[in-house]
Amino acid sequence: MSILPKKNELGFFEIRLESIGGLGANLAGKMLAEAGVQGLGLNGANFSSYGSEKKGSPVKSFVRFCESDVEIRDHAPIEQPHVIGVFHEALYKMVDVVSGLTADGVVLVNTQSDFDTIRNDLKVEYGTIAAVDALKIANEEKTKVNTAMLGALYRILDFLDPDYMRNVIRKTFEKKYPHLVEPNIRTFDRGYNEVTFKKYEAPADAESREFTRVQPRLGYETQVMGGIITAQANSIQKDLSGSRIGFLPEYKEESCIHCAACDTVCPDYCFVWEQGEDKKGRPQMFLKGIDYQYCKGCLKCVDACPTDALADLVEEKGYAEDNQVKHNFPYVAGGMK
């Protein structure tokens, strides 16, 4: 008798983890596959897909399970998963995270939002939405988001044994990082216990979401003759907000002395300046604010600030968008706008 709750036409139960580099989705996929293969005797496969192996870049991790008498000969990326795990809400801006989700599928989101907001943001008509504040759990336990997400996934994948995953966590960390064993087990348990669910009933004729592949802006049909690069290679269009782990700097203009100590230590291009005149009419650069698109939440600027013009702030949804001061890059798309 099969222990898998459902299968596709090839006999696979498939999971896709949508994440951002640095949140540990690659390791989470490996641990999840190991628990199914070694703990339950299933056949399984795990692999990941990413571009530059860089913090803040989109990452996908894939897990396939099937019965022990079924061979896995399909190693293509998972396009129609039964379960999707979304490790960061910032991905909504860059990736269609629920692309290809089956009509009765489950999407797990690391979020503080309510179910109807999640449903609206993801444009999910039916299926089950699971929500867990993995970021809060990770911050409180001083661990990473991936262990809390694993705990929540285990509530969804109830055919897996949570005790076996606790052993996997122990084996993963005990040699190099023994001090992280118990915090990660607590994080796993909290993810397991704190995840909540809401099901939106699907009609009888409901169809799975269509899977869409992202197409490059310039290809063989749209490239300028001669292979001319119309915009220099850079990461200006990249949104680095997904690298933040719950904190960002708050700017208080009234306390700022415009010394640029913050900009000196900033690893990216977060601070926006404009030229003006000081009280004596001399030209000076004045700090307008922070472009949170490029802020990874390292808070080096807060440490460097000689006044209280910058302070660390627990990020709330919408704060960055409401308080962002954007840079002006006229050559980003190639040519002046």
Side-chain angles (χ1 to χ4, degrees), residues 170-187:
R170 194 169 278 109
K171 286 193 300 181
T172 301
F173 292 102
E174 64 185 356
K175 288 187 178 180
K176 286 189 175 181
Y177 311 103
H179 61 289
L180 293 178
V181 171
E182 293 305 319
N184 273 284
I185 290 176
R186 287 197 303 270
T187 302

Side-chain angles (χ1 to χ4, degrees), residues 17 86 88 92 143 148 187 202 205 233-234:
L17 305 180
V86 183
H88 203 297
Y92 299 175
T143 54
T187 302
D205 59 347
N234 56 54

Side-chain angles (χ1 to χ4, degrees), residues 67-300:
E67 301 301 331
S68 57
D69 59 344
V70 177
E71 293 187 19
I72 298 180
R73 297 182 180 274
D74 183 0
H75 301 287
I78 293 172
E79 297 186 351
Q80 289 194 310
H82 299 97
V83 176
I84 293 175
V86 183
F87 279 52
H88 203 297
E89 288 179 292
L91 277 165
Y92 299 175
K93 307 172 192 174
M94 301 180 278
V95 180
D96 182 5
V97 292
V98 292
S99 176
L101 182 65
T102 56
D104 58 347
V106 181
V107 56
L108 167 68
V109 185
N110 168 25
T111 183
Q112 297 177 341
S113 302
D114 60 77
F115 288 108
D116 290 338
T117 300
I118 300 169
R119 185 188 189 192
N120 183 62
D121 288 345
L122 294 178
K123 297 178 176 59
V124 173
E125 295 181 33
Y126 31 73
T128 300
I129 294 175
V132 64
D133 194 347
L135 193 57
K136 175 186 173 186
I137 295 171
N139 281 333
E140 290 177 354
E141 299 294 345
K142 295 180 173 56
T143 54
K144 278 195 171 185
V145 165
N146 59 345
T147 318
M149 290 293 285
L150 273 174
L153 283 165
Y154 259 69
R155 280 288 297 278
I156 298 168
L157 309 172
D158 55 6
F159 59 90
L160 296 176
D161 181 6
D163 285 332
Y164 189 85
M165 178 51 72
R166 294 183 185 99
N167 291 332
V168 172
I169 292 171
R170 194 169 278 109
K171 286 193 300 181
T172 301
F173 292 102
E174 64 185 356
K175 288 187 178 180
K176 286 189 175 181
Y177 311 103
H179 61 289
L180 293 178
V181 171
E182 293 305 319
N184 273 284
I185 290 176
R186 287 197 303 270
T187 302
F188 174 82
D189 289 340
R190 286 188 61 183
Y192 185 90
N193 293 318
E194 294 179 25
V195 64
T196 54
F197 300 87
K198 185 170 183 179
K199 186 173 184 178
Y200 296 90
E201 291 294 339
D205 59 347
E207 296 181 355
S208 301
R209 290 176 67 102
E210 182 181 354
F211 180 80
T212 55
R213 291 183 177 85
V214 178
Q215 299 298 320
R217 186 161 57 91
L218 296 176
Y220 75 95
E221 290 183 338
T222 55
Q223 176 63 273
V224 177
M225 290 295 290
I228 299 169
I229 299 175
T230 57
Q232 68 276 22
N234 56 54
S235 59
I236 284 175
Q237 293 177 307
K238 197 173 191 64
D239 190 332
L240 302 180
S241 60
S243 299
R244 295 198 289 267
I245 311 297
F247 295 90
L248 47 66
E250 176 188 16
Y251 176 52
K252 304 172 185 175
E253 186 176 3
E254 66 278 3
S255 301
C256 184
I257 59 174
H258 310 286
C259 65
C262 53
D263 210 354
T264 302
V265 299
C266 180
D268 280 281
Y269 202 37
C270 299
F271 295 95
V272 182
W273 299 83
E274 67 177 353
Q275 187 170 345
E277 294 182 349
D278 64 13
K279 294 178 181 178
K280 295 183 179 181
R282 296 171 297 189
Q284 182 179 332
M285 299 300 290
F286 292 89
L287 182 60
K288 289 176 62 180
I290 301 172
D291 192 339
Y292 287 110
Q293 175 181 338
Y294 306 107
C295 178
K296 296 187 285 194
C298 67
L299 301 181
K300 292 179 181 179

Side-chain angles (χ1 to χ4, degrees), residues 35-49:
V37 172
Q38 296 188 1
L40 291 175
L42 296 168
N43 275 350
N46 161 249
F47 55 99
S48 296
S49 172

Side-chain angles (χ1 to χ4, degrees), residues 21-33:
L23 297 183
N26 189 23
L27 178 59
K30 290 178 181 177
M31 294 168 73
L32 196 60

